[in-house]
Amino acid sequence: MHFSGCLCALLVALVYQVSGMDTVIGLYGETIEVPCNNGAPKPKDLFMTKWKYDDGDLLTQLKDQDASVIATDKYKDRVSMAENSSLLIAAATLKDEKTFTCMVVAGADISEYPVKLLIHKAPTGVEITALATELEIGKPTQLGQCSTSDANPAASITWFKNKKPLVADGKGIIISSKVKVDEVTGLTTTSSILQYTAEKGDTAALFTCGALNTLSSPVSFTVTYPTERISLHVISKGPLMEGANVTLKCKADGNPPPTSFNFHILGKVVKVENSDSYTVTDVTRESTGEYKCSIIDNAKMEDSKNITINYLDMSLSPSGKVMKSFGEGLALTLQTHASGELKVSWTKDNGKLDSRPTFDKLTYSDSGKYEVVVTMGPLIKKASFELVVEGVPVIRRVAKRRGEDGQHKVLTCEAEGSPKPTVAWSVNGTSADESPYVNGKITHKLTIVPTVNLTVVCTVSNELGQDTRTINVSTYSSDEGDTTKLVVGVIVGLLLATVVVGLAYWLYMKKSKQGSWKTGEKEDGSTEESKKLEEKIEEKLEENSQKVEV
């Protein structure tokens, strides 16, 4: 009885304190920790800690003792107390959303710390259903329904186009949402319907919806709109030239595009169904003109293109192999007809010529293969002929010279002709040497050792004729006699020249004296001239005398 009275007195003496309410958010299905006194340290004079809620007590713990579970309801096997006096609730559900109170008895004070518990759960997924089959420009269409389930609180859904949020404007964008609560779990399912009026630029747009940090898979739609403009395209491999195939392609900006068109080919209408192309084959220069395409059910919607077919005609005369005689002329004619500006170039034996060749008087060097190349942009045409200049061989020069040893004689015979002449000598020799046959010219050399004076004949011939020339060749001793005769002849010539000069001087002096006797003029001038002339004659005589001595 005494103990009971003391305990009552103790309880009466306690000061009862209630603190403001805190809020804790826990995750659905997880173990939730509800702190006592916001996690403050235990007081030193702690006597007892107890957790309770509106429907009853949950558990208590006396100082230095283990916590005891008092609950007999659904919390019997789900609650426990942590070391810091926090309440632990396992497998949280929405039914755990209530206020839990931590009562602390310390010394003479009793304090209570209520905590409001909220349970949150993220939605399990976001998806778009009830998709529209297509969107038509300017027509409001229900694009789809976005849904997310098993959430608490109810999820808020946002629609996106190309990752940018869509904001309802009541006109082109109308968004309506609703929330449904599960009677068993209390979790919510949110659905949102988007009514959207498409624009032309939405053809490749990607639409998504999201809740919290979860996004649906993107979806796109076929956007339909009528054709407003068509365009004609000309497709060809390489330049438009005669013999090529030209494809006309008609493109429309509608979606879906038209499948049938009318092609206007130089005034003729060709209807093409289930295709947007038409090919004109093997075009000619007469194919140049205006081409059109139009929609079958709207002839006014059309496009046109002017097409020019390029052509290049060329003829060259002569052609093939041309045989001409030396000294003749050859007329060269090049005719061209083209749709544009031309460039003409000539080559001879693959070597570039600076200008067009002319053949007024043919020579052997004119022989060769000539080619003309005419170009107009990418178009190229070529023509060629081979010119062969023929002629009877003609010897242009025969010559002789003494060999380096003084005993041999080197004979030279130079000739022209075509076909290539054959060179023959009337004597046999050694070291016969023939130059290359170039431009109808050939040079033949023959080395001989004459023992007697000879008249050597050089003969050149081909299938058209022949020519001969002779040259006198003497032995070495005969050459010495010839040299002596030459020296004597020079001396005699010099002496005769001296006599002639002297005779001329005598006649001049005689004439001068006669003139002065007849006129009676002074002789000072003529005397001076006479002295100068005498000096020149003396110098000439002395010079000739020196040459004779040599």
Side-chain angles (χ1 to χ4, degrees):
M1 293 294 292
H2 177 72
F3 174 76
S4 175
C6 292
L7 180 60
C8 291
L10 175 63
L11 292 175
V12 170
L14 292 176
V15 178
Y16 196 86
Q17 299 177 352
V18 179
S19 300
M21 184 178 297
D22 293 328
T23 300
V24 173
I25 298 177
L27 296 181
Y28 185 91
E30 304 290 333
T31 296
I32 301 171
E33 180 177 352
V34 182
C36 179
N37 191 18
N38 201 25
K42 297 178 182 180
K44 294 181 179 180
D45 55 350
L46 176 66
F47 174 72
M48 181 184 68
T49 302
K50 180 172 70 173
W51 279 96
K52 60 183 180 177
Y53 71 112
D54 294 341
D55 292 341
D57 297 337
L58 294 174
L59 46 78
T60 61
Q61 183 182 33
L62 296 177
K63 182 179 180 181
D64 298 329
Q65 295 184 15
D66 294 333
S68 300
V69 178
I70 303 175
T72 59
D73 55 8
K74 59 184 178 181
Y75 289 109
K76 178 180 179 181
D77 299 322
R78 295 175 53 217
V79 295
S80 60
M81 188 180 297
E83 182 67 24
N84 61 357
S85 299
S86 295
L87 173 65
L88 302 177
I89 303 175
T93 68
L94 294 186
K95 293 181 179 180
D96 295 327
E97 286 192 326
K98 50 178 56 77
T99 299
F100 296 88
T101 302
C102 176
M103 187 180 73
V104 177
V105 179
D109 298 327
I110 299 177
S111 301
E112 289 190 349
Y113 304 100
V115 181
K116 184 178 181 180
L117 177 61
L118 299 178
I119 303 299
H120 284 191
K121 183 179 182 302
T124 56
V126 182
E127 64 174 346
I128 301 176
T129 58
L131 294 174
T133 55
E134 62 181 29
L135 303 179
E136 183 179 345
I137 287 182
K139 179 181 179 180
T141 304
Q142 181 175 316
L143 186 146
Q145 177 176 297
C146 181
S147 301
T148 183
S149 58
D150 297 335
N152 190 63
S156 177
I157 293 177
T158 303
W159 285 90
F160 299 87
K161 184 182 80 171
N162 295 331
K163 298 182 179 180
K164 294 183 179 181
L166 293 174
V167 179
D169 58 10
K171 298 178 181 178
I173 302 174
I174 299 175
I175 300 174
S176 56
S177 301
K178 64 179 180 179
V179 177
K180 182 180 179 181
V181 180
D182 187 281
E183 295 179 357
V184 176
T185 63
L187 298 176
T188 62
T189 297
T190 303
S191 61
S192 176
I193 297 175
L194 172 62
Q195 184 172 286
Y196 185 77
T197 302
E199 301 174 351
K200 196 169 185 178
D202 294 329
T203 301
L206 294 177
F207 292 85
T208 54
C209 65
L212 295 178
N213 296 323
T214 304
L215 285 176
S216 67
S217 299
V219 293
S220 60
F221 300 89
T222 299
V223 180
T224 63
Y225 44 89
T227 298
E228 297 177 351
R229 187 176 65 88
I230 65 173
S231 58
L232 178 62
H233 300 263
V234 180
I235 302 173
S236 175
K237 294 181 179 179
L240 296 177
M241 52 185 285
E242 288 189 315
N245 294 336
V246 180
T247 298
L248 306 176
K249 188 177 183 67
C250 201
K251 292 185 177 181
D253 63 353
N255 191 36
T259 58
S260 300
F261 297 89
N262 283 330
F263 287 89
H264 304 257
I265 313 298
L266 298 176
K268 179 182 177 182
V269 179
V270 179
K271 183 178 180 181
V272 176
E273 295 182 341
N274 300 321
S275 177
D276 61 357
S277 301
Y278 179 77
T279 299
V280 183
T281 59
D282 196 22
V283 296
T284 66
R285 65 194 66 183
E286 285 74 23
S287 302
T288 296
E290 184 182 39
Y291 291 76
K292 296 180 181 180
C293 75
S294 61
I295 299 178
I296 290 180
D297 56 0
N298 186 359
K300 292 183 178 180
M301 192 172 294
E302 65 177 14
D303 189 29
S304 63
K305 285 285 187 299
N306 287 318
I307 298 177
T308 299
I309 306 301
N310 295 303
Y311 60 89
L312 171 58
D313 296 334
M314 180 188 72
S315 64
L316 176 65
S317 177
S319 61
K321 191 170 185 178
V322 181
M323 309 295 294
K324 300 294 288 185
S325 297
F326 183 88
E328 287 186 337
L330 175 63
L332 184 62
T333 303
L334 175 65
Q335 294 181 336
T336 58
H337 185 211
S339 57
E341 185 178 351
L342 301 178
K343 291 184 179 180
V344 181
S345 61
W346 290 85
T347 59
K348 177 189 176 185
D349 296 330
N350 296 323
K352 185 177 180 181
L353 298 177
D354 294 332
S355 60
R356 173 175 172 169
T358 57
F359 307 106
D360 296 331
K361 189 175 182 180
L362 293 171
T363 64
Y364 296 119
S365 62
D366 291 325
S367 295
K369 183 177 180 180
Y370 293 83
E371 183 179 61
V372 60
V373 179
V374 181
T375 60
M376 186 189 70
L379 298 181
I380 300 176
K381 284 201 174 182
K382 301 178 180 180
S384 63
F385 66 92
E386 182 180 2
L387 175 60
V388 179
V389 180
E390 295 184 322
V392 177
V394 177
I395 297 175
R396 297 302 182 189
R397 186 176 78 93
V398 290
K400 63 181 177 180
R401 66 177 177 82
R402 183 179 298 174
E404 294 179 359
D405 59 0
Q407 299 297 322
H408 294 78
K409 294 292 181 70
V410 180
L411 308 182
T412 302
C413 185
E414 297 178 359
E416 284 185 325
S418 178
K420 177 183 176 183
T422 300
V423 181
W425 297 89
S426 62
V427 295
N428 293 327
T430 61
S431 303
D433 181 30
E434 183 176 281
S435 67
Y437 179 66
V438 179
N439 293 331
K441 296 180 179 181
I442 189 171
T443 300
H444 199 280
K445 294 182 179 181
L446 182 68
T447 302
I448 64 173
V449 181
T451 57
V452 295
N453 296 338
L454 299 172
T455 297
V456 180
V457 179
C458 175
T459 302
V460 292
S461 61
N462 62 15
E463 59 191 46
L464 301 178
Q466 67 176 26
D467 189 18
T468 60
R469 291 280 291 274
T470 61
I471 184 171
N472 293 324
V473 181
S474 60
T475 62
Y476 178 75
S477 58
S478 298
D479 289 342
E480 291 289 340
D482 292 342
T483 302
T484 302
K485 292 177 182 179
L486 178 61
V487 172
V488 173
V490 171
I491 294 173
V492 173
L494 291 175
L495 290 175
L496 290 175
T498 302
V499 172
V500 171
V501 172
L503 180 59
Y505 174 69
W506 179 78
L507 293 173
Y508 175 78
M509 293 300 295
K510 182 177 180 181
K511 185 177 179 181
S512 298
K513 290 179 180 181
Q514 289 176 352
S516 61
W517 292 337
K518 291 178 181 180
T519 58
E521 297 175 351
K522 294 182 180 181
E523 299 179 1
D524 293 341
S526 60
T527 301
E528 185 64 27
E529 292 178 357
S530 298
K531 288 180 180 180
K532 290 182 180 180
L533 183 57
E534 287 177 0
E535 290 176 358
K536 289 183 179 180
I537 291 174
E538 288 176 359
E539 290 176 0
K540 190 67 175 179
L541 290 173
E542 183 178 356
E543 182 181 350
N544 290 339
S545 176
Q546 291 176 354
K547 289 182 178 180
V548 170
E549 290 176 359
V550 175

